[in-house]
Amino acid sequence: MKYISTRGQTAHKPFSEVLLMGLAPDGGLMLPEAYPQISGETLQKWRGLSYPDLAFEIMSLFVTDIPADDLRGIIERTYTEAAFGSKAVTPVRTLSDGIKIQALSNGPTLAFKDMAMQFLGNAFEYVLNKEGKQLNILGATSGDTGSAAEYALRGKKGVHVFMLSPEGKMSSFQRAQMFSLQDENIHNIAVEGMFDDCQDIVKAVQNDAGFKEQYKIGTVNSINWGRIVAQVVYYFAGYFNATTSNEQKVSFCVPSGNFGNICAGHIARQMGLPIHRLIVATNENDVLDEFFKTGRYLPRGSEHTYVTSSPSMDISKASNFERFIFDLMDRDAAEIETLWAEVAAGKGFDLGFTLEKARRQYGFASGKSTHADRLATIKAVYEQDGELLDPHTADGIKVAREIREPGETIVCLETALAAKFEATIHEAVGNIAVPRPARLENLETLPQRVQVVPNNAENVKNIIRKTLGA
Ligand SMILES: *Cc1c(COP(=O)(O)O)cnc(C)c1O
């Protein structure tokens, strides 16, 4: 299996190389040159496999340059009951109205990003060790991504993580989650500024080619192909869990921001998994809902991005969307160049003529929620089913309830646990105790490690120089 860029100007590459890449050199995103096709017979054989065994079967179709036993080892170290809280890893449950929920949030940081990031941590360690390389991850986070990356890479050989966050802007839970890590290769840097300032510093460091080269600076953002491929697995697991035979079809409803999660669903569907619809759920930041309703993709700047109660979806330029549009445009790389030149110019594009194709051939549908919708959904589910949803998952449930067709089985992906968003839960249902996994009971009282720096790239570079000693 070789990988190609959506812009068509990058030499074909094997998985191990793509794993450590961000954007392709031509500015595009990497994708398999063709999606593996799963026959009915194979699908039948896979039904009933354990999560790690299923992950091995699926991932070995995409990862052809790592010996099978090594890949199996990476996967078995990753998808354990200890890390994900159950043998099923992503168990599916059913609400009283028949909507199903697939739990993807029982990993170390209580958000679905662990599903991919935990794999990435082990895969990075393996590839770096094999090639005798070092990698220093520099990232900016407003919460979820940073902690998932730190928990995935803590204690890993050959890797340091420098994670910038806006000082005083994360919740006390999120701060404690990241800053309580005592591993020597994890470096929390709180910047006196906003999230955008942190991102600007990351860009400034990345743009210093000499520094980047000398200190082997890399990233683990949502365009990383290794994350997408790990996510493909749980669509198969969810499908098997929600059905008794391969004659049945299932729809997935996915709380979306950067289009990374649902992009993996699109790939699973292209491989032949019997998915009826892929439902994109957004919050008030609804560029994706707008696309699937009108065909117009009009990314917005940060000044037009709302701060909402589902903060991990506060995204107005979906970094993985190019992967889907590439398929939608029959993999015409020149066309993608043209469309993204429009995006770069701040204009966006109108693909209204493809709307029917996106719906019929690719199964896409969409919906959105407001803050009031999410509160009402959290309250209703609490009253009807006695369970607490996090605001991102609530967004998906709201949309699924709204657009469900008669007889349609919808699996909503649970992307975080309520414990991470106590304030919103209290707003929805009053001051009740929000349950937390026992291991996190005293999280906020643990000692914390963080360096606070003025909003300036040079300070961050100095920390990197000092830590890596050169
Ligand atoms: C990252 C995240 C999302 C959005 O996922 P994308 O892959 O960016 O579409 C939704 N919910 C939660 C809790 C997240 O952390």
Side-chain angles (χ1 to χ4, degrees):
M1 165 78 70
K2 289 277 200 233
Y3 291 85
I4 57 170
S5 162
T6 51
R7 307 274 174 101
Q9 305 291 325
T10 300
H12 296 198
K13 292 186 187 303
F15 177 83
S16 304
E17 249 180 84
V18 175
L19 178 73
L20 302 178
M21 280 171 70
L23 280 182
D26 61 12
L29 305 183
M30 301 303 284
L31 271 178
E33 55 193 352
Y35 300 121
Q37 295 301 302
I38 307 307
S39 68
E41 208 181 325
T42 303
L43 205 58
Q44 192 53 41
K45 269 197 271 177
W46 287 357
R47 187 179 277 281
L49 290 185
S50 70
Y51 194 94
D53 286 348
L54 180 63
F56 174 75
E57 293 298 329
I58 294 169
M59 287 164 101
S60 52
L61 301 172
F62 293 97
V63 184
T64 52
D65 63 335
I66 294 179
D69 286 346
D70 293 355
L71 179 63
R72 195 181 279 282
I74 294 169
I75 289 170
E76 284 176 357
R77 286 197 292 285
T78 303
Y79 297 107
T80 63
E81 188 171 349
F84 290 95
S86 70
K87 216 166 153 32
V89 181
T90 62
V92 174
R93 59 188 189 275
T94 308
L95 294 179
S96 51
D97 67 351
I99 300 251
K100 292 179 187 290
I101 298 181
Q102 185 177 8
L104 304 181
S105 315
N106 294 314
T109 72
L110 313 188
F112 94 97
K113 294 194 171 62
D114 290 328
M115 292 301 305
M117 214 70 99
Q118 289 285 312
F119 167 77
L120 215 59
N122 288 320
F124 271 23
E125 185 177 52
Y126 171 86
V127 170
L128 292 172
N129 176 46
K130 199 162 172 179
E131 297 175 4
K133 283 191 193 157
Q134 298 264 329
L135 186 64
N136 298 301
I137 299 296
L138 174 65
T141 188
S142 54
D144 283 345
T145 315
S147 57
E150 291 190 352
Y151 279 78
L153 294 168
R154 60 187 294 199
K156 296 276 186 270
K157 291 186 213 71
V159 190
H160 281 268
V161 178
F162 298 89
M163 192 55 69
L164 312 185
S165 57
E167 212 242 330
K169 306 293 188 307
M170 294 192 295
S171 72
S172 59
F173 181 95
Q174 287 174 318
R175 273 202 302 274
Q177 215 175 19
M178 289 177 53
F179 300 170
S180 65
L181 288 177
Q182 301 297 330
D183 307 81
E184 278 181 19
N185 70 329
I186 302 296
H187 311 278
N188 288 302
I189 303 172
V191 175
E192 291 171 340
M194 305 296 289
F195 173 61
D196 284 344
D197 299 318
C198 298
Q199 271 190 315
D200 288 345
I201 292 178
V202 171
K203 274 187 215 144
V205 176
Q206 295 270 2
N207 287 339
D208 181 344
F211 186 91
K212 190 177 170 199
E213 171 68 30
Q214 184 179 356
Y215 293 101
K216 316 254 177 309
I217 302 295
T219 52
V220 278
N221 46 25
S222 78
I223 57 169
N224 181 286
W225 169 253
R227 287 177 62 175
I228 306 278
V229 78
Q231 290 169 183
V232 170
V233 176
Y234 56 69
Y235 283 88
F236 281 83
Y239 172 78
F240 291 133
N241 243 298
T243 58
T244 51
S245 113
N246 299 339
E247 304 299 308
Q248 293 163 276
K249 282 199 167 191
V250 158
S251 297
F252 284 92
C253 183
V254 187
S256 295
N258 269 321
F259 207 78
N261 194 348
I262 202 159
C263 183
H266 161 67
I267 292 169
R269 194 174 183 278
Q270 292 308 108
M271 291 169 72
L273 187 67
I275 294 175
H276 174 45
R277 295 199 289 176
L278 288 164
I279 304 166
V280 178
T282 74
N283 64 20
E284 291 88 337
N285 298 296
D286 58 354
V287 277
L288 291 171
D289 182 42
E290 184 175 14
F291 176 80
F292 288 105
K293 295 257 161 64
T294 67
R296 284 192 300 277
Y297 180 57
L298 305 172
R300 302 165 198 161
S302 54
E303 68 285 5
H304 293 113
T305 303
Y306 302 102
V307 175
T308 76
S309 51
S310 45
S312 298
M313 296 159 63
D314 292 348
I315 288 162
S316 296
K317 199 182 246 183
S319 55
N320 277 292
F321 198 44
E322 183 171 333
R323 287 194 160 107
F324 169 64
I325 298 297
F326 183 60
D327 285 343
L328 183 68
M329 301 310 283
D330 302 319
R331 300 200 145 202
D332 180 343
E335 185 62 35
I336 297 299
E337 281 267 12
T338 310
L339 293 175
W340 259 266
E342 295 291 303
V343 170
K347 283 187 279 194
F349 51 74
D350 186 342
L351 292 180
F353 69 96
T354 64
L355 212 48
E356 271 311 292
K357 187 175 171 191
R359 290 181 187 153
R360 280 180 205 283
Q361 187 176 331
Y362 292 98
F364 275 91
S366 72
K368 63 182 275 193
S369 75
T370 63
H371 178 62
D373 293 329
R374 292 186 291 278
L375 293 182
T377 303
I378 291 169
K379 186 159 191 277
V381 169
Y382 183 59
E383 284 168 358
Q384 287 155 11
D385 295 273
E387 68 164 277
L388 289 169
L389 299 178
D390 101 281
H392 305 77
T393 310
D395 169 88
I397 301 284
K398 184 265 179 185
V399 170
R401 285 183 163 174
E402 191 170 77
I403 73 172
R404 177 153 65 146
E405 298 165 347
E408 186 181 22
T409 300
I410 303 186
V411 176
C412 289
L413 300 188
E414 177 178 62
T415 56
L417 290 194
K420 293 190 92 165
F421 301 95
E422 277 188 359
T424 304
I425 302 299
H426 290 159
E427 196 180 338
V429 298
N431 248 338
I432 58 166
V434 184
R436 256 192 206 188
R439 68 192 148 84
L440 298 175
E441 284 308 342
N442 301 315
L443 183 66
E444 286 92 334
T445 65
L446 298 175
Q448 300 190 357
R449 265 174 84 230
V450 59
Q451 310 178 61
V452 181
V453 300
N455 176 11
N456 171 333
E458 207 45 45
N459 291 305
V460 172
K461 283 186 184 170
N462 280 335
I463 290 178
I464 296 174
R465 285 191 188 103
K466 217 171 110 200
T467 307
L468 302 176

